[in-house]
Amino acid sequence: MSNHTSSLRHLLSRRIIVFASTILAWLFIARSTSTSAGSEVFSDVTEAAGITWQQFSGESPDRFLIETMGGGVAFLDFDGDGLLDIFLVNGGETPHRKSATPVKNALYRNLGNGRFEEVAAKAGVDQISFYGMGVAVADYDNDGFPDLYVTGFPASALFHNNHNGTFTDVTDTAHVKNNGVWAASAAWFDYDRDGKLDLVVTNYVHFSFDSPKKCEVNGVRSYCEQVAYKGMPLTLYHNNGNRTFTDVSSSAGFDKLVGRALGVVAIDVNHDGWIDLFVARDASPNLLLINRKNGKFTDTAVDAEVAYDSAGMAKSGMGVDAADVNGDGFADFLVTNFNDQYHSFFVGSSDFPYRDRTVASRLAAYTKPFVGWGAKFIDYDNDGNLDILLVNGHINEAIEATRDDVKYKQPPLLLRNDSKGAFQNVRDQGGPVFQSGYLGRGLAVGDFDNDGDVDAVITCLNSRPILLRNNTGQFNTWIGFDLQGRNSNRDAIGAQLTVSSGAKMLVRFIVGGSSYLSSSDKRVLFGLGASNQLATLDVDIRWPSGMMQHVSGLKSNQYHKIVEADPTQKYKPSGAQRH
């Protein structure tokens, strides 16, 4: 009897295992098939993740412009467990609009099962003493843990990571308060190649809660245009290496760059091994600041033809990103602007000027009715071509009383690269989020579930954020890199990576800043297409220090941690240099 029972149990167990395996295989095939057939690329997993925090703008009858502008967000692994967490910057109260509950930032710790736990108070980053705007994440003291710089008005704050899940506000001792200024975005980058990250802050306009400006649309109190406010210069802080900084804005020439600056991205534009800056400015000419290797920068935006539009007018630049979209090794730029101006797409080469591909790429047709903010180049389907993710949302609700084609709440845009110099709006395949309206602002991207494709988080005015999980990219082959500088800054900001995939050369950069008020995953993903062959790959890395490093025999479909090699090797520049 016992042997018979044992045999039955064994048979039943085998059948259960076979049945379960069949079901799992069927689910995998069904998911793979449905994804490849064009089902939603991104799923809104905000609620499932347990994210309930909401942004508070302090929207008031005074119509302070700052009420329309906030919403920074960052992906970062603050506790070093290999999982990306999420930090969200709140706005603040205004004289005639108080919050029913304390206005607090949020820090969501990734639990690794699709769920997040809010730990901002425990970590010591929930409260700031000013109106919050954006966040820049980096390991500024090279101790192996990411730190937070939070921008806002009339001050900013630096939080040092204590390695134990908590942060300490070190703003005053570090001398980076940026006091009395409305700061927008910020970017960490090593402009003097000493291995320590410096900090650039984009300051927006002269502003005060004591003197609200009064404007009307059809007799209704509305927000004044940005041109009613005088612009500000940039701030540049030099890292002294002892956890303090020195304001070198004047010696760098930044004090003369007066304008309404918002987005910033740091990248080596001219292949000389020194990191440069692109600054998106609002009704002020954009800046392309070339590093002169002596602590100074020269604005070359006019020569590069990225300062103005074709009619010689400054657009309303908000967000910016940089990447090599066409595989020539040179940085291309994406800039978000106001409705009717089109978001801009500038393609670089070995010489100035840049080519304005806004119309030819179809970006003009897709973005005419939108007010753009966050922007990132991403390869969402891992086919090797960089696509575009854009966040939109108007500032004036009254716009719908005067325009039928421009909405107050606007959808984000997912634009697929057709590999021929143009983009396709994949709204119908993107998911329900891309068919709905939001007051979108910040955008950060990163692989929060470590499955090899790019996810995203979007912030919205007076609402909760949107966490988007990528359902598509993991079905193509990919390879990921997590770089650690040794002679370079530990985050390797400024590095260039090159992978050859068949006949295609793929180039990716680790940039400082980018998007709008936000900070993204610093790991680098290369999509390799639909090939199922897991052949080994090689990567060439140009580190921020200037050293070249070749690493071979790397397996696909996994992340690789690469530490900068012997710093005594000499950098040998390759390709054309732009001066």
Side-chain angles (χ1 to χ4, degrees), residues 12 31 80 124 137 182 194 220 260 262 270 304 317 330 442 452 497 509:
L12 181 60
R31 184 183 180 192
V137 176
W182 177 355
D194 64 356
V220 178
R260 305 172 192 88
L262 288 174
N270 54 4
F330 289 96
L497 300 87
F509 300 90

Side-chain angles (χ1 to χ4, degrees), residues 468-486:
L468 295 175
R469 184 190 183 279
N470 190 325
N471 303 313
T472 300
Q474 66 267 33
F475 297 112
N476 273 335
T477 306
W478 58 276
I479 189 169
F481 297 96
D482 183 6
L483 300 191
Q484 179 182 317
R486 184 159 57 181

Side-chain angles (χ1 to χ4, degrees), residues 203-274:
N203 302 311
Y204 188 47
V205 296
H206 287 275
F207 178 80
S208 172
F209 283 125
D210 296 329
S211 55
K213 297 182 180 294
K214 297 182 179 180
C215 297
E216 294 183 348
V217 175
N218 292 338
V220 178
R221 183 72 178 269
S222 184
Y223 295 102
C224 293
E225 295 183 5
Q226 75 282 72
V227 292
Y229 299 82
K230 183 181 178 182
M232 295 285 293
L234 307 174
T235 302
L236 180 63
Y237 291 109
H238 176 260
N239 189 333
N240 300 321
N242 57 0
R243 295 185 177 176
T244 70
F245 293 78
T246 299
D247 186 337
V248 294
S249 307
S250 179
S251 60
F254 283 16
D255 58 332
K256 299 179 177 61
L257 301 174
V258 177
R260 305 172 192 88
L262 288 174
V264 59
V265 62
I267 191 170
D268 181 7
V269 170
N270 54 4
H271 283 207
D272 65 355
W274 295 72

Side-chain angles (χ1 to χ4, degrees), residues 284-574:
S284 303
N286 297 326
L287 304 173
L288 183 59
L289 302 175
I290 299 299
N291 190 332
R292 291 307 179 198
K293 313 175 190 178
N294 59 0
K296 300 181 184 297
F297 292 76
T298 300
D299 180 20
T300 61
V302 172
D303 290 340
E305 296 185 7
V306 297
Y308 304 95
D309 66 13
S310 59
M313 300 294 293
K315 291 186 177 183
S316 301
M318 267 83 85
V320 61
D321 196 20
D324 175 23
V325 178
N326 58 357
D328 65 357
F330 289 96
D332 309 309
F333 292 102
L334 174 68
V335 184
T336 54
N337 301 298
F338 214 73
N339 60 264
D340 300 328
Q341 297 179 344
Y342 321 125
H343 303 350
S344 302
F345 178 39
F346 300 111
V347 175
S349 65
S350 60
D351 295 302
F352 288 160
Y354 276 75
R355 289 179 294 142
D356 187 339
R357 298 281 300 175
T358 305
V359 174
S361 67
R362 303 188 193 131
L363 197 64
Y366 299 140
T367 63
K368 184 178 186 295
F370 298 127
V371 176
W373 304 88
K376 290 296 294 182
F377 288 113
I378 63 169
D379 182 4
Y380 75 83
D381 52 1
N382 278 340
D383 67 350
N385 300 311
L386 287 174
D387 314 298
I388 292 176
L389 180 58
L390 298 165
V391 174
N392 306 297
H394 215 278
I395 65 170
N396 274 318
E397 192 169 6
I399 188 65
E400 295 188 12
T402 60
R403 295 281 295 269
D404 293 330
D405 60 327
V406 179
K407 302 301 180 183
Y408 179 50
K409 294 184 175 182
Q410 302 176 343
L413 290 174
L414 182 62
L415 306 179
R416 186 176 187 273
N417 189 334
D418 69 359
S419 77
K420 299 176 182 178
F423 295 90
Q424 173 191 5
N425 189 346
V426 291
R427 171 181 180 270
D428 293 338
Q429 294 80 41
V433 165
F434 297 92
Q435 301 172 40
S436 306
Y438 306 92
L439 299 179
R441 293 298 185 265
L443 166 65
V445 299
D447 183 7
F448 79 80
D449 51 4
N450 288 333
D451 64 351
D453 55 24
V454 179
D455 310 301
V457 59
I458 297 170
T459 63
C460 304
L461 280 184
N462 298 309
S463 185
R464 71 178 187 180
I466 305 166
L467 180 61
L468 295 175
R469 184 190 183 279
N470 190 325
N471 303 313
T472 300
Q474 66 267 33
F475 297 112
N476 273 335
T477 306
W478 58 276
I479 189 169
F481 297 96
D482 183 6
L483 300 191
Q484 179 182 317
R486 184 159 57 181
N487 197 43
S488 303
N489 67 87
R490 189 180 177 100
D491 284 345
I493 293 173
Q496 176 180 312
L497 300 87
T498 303
V499 168
S500 295
S501 176
K504 182 183 293 186
M505 181 182 73
L506 301 176
V507 178
R508 302 288 183 263
F509 300 90
I510 300 179
V511 301
S514 80
S515 192
Y516 174 75
L517 307 180
S518 301
S519 190
S520 295
D521 188 0
K522 291 180 177 60
R523 294 177 299 175
V524 179
L525 271 172
F526 287 82
L528 303 174
S531 172
N532 292 318
Q533 297 179 0
L534 301 182
T536 59
L537 296 162
D538 298 352
V539 62
D540 290 292
I541 303 169
R542 189 190 69 190
W543 291 88
S545 64
M547 193 199 75
M548 297 295 295
Q549 183 174 354
H550 179 82
V551 183
S552 59
L554 301 171
K555 292 183 178 180
S556 58
N557 292 337
Q558 65 184 62
Y559 284 98
H560 298 271
K561 180 70 172 281
I562 299 179
V563 179
E564 186 176 10
D566 184 354
T568 60
Q569 298 181 36
K570 299 297 183 181
Y571 167 59
K572 296 180 179 179
S574 60

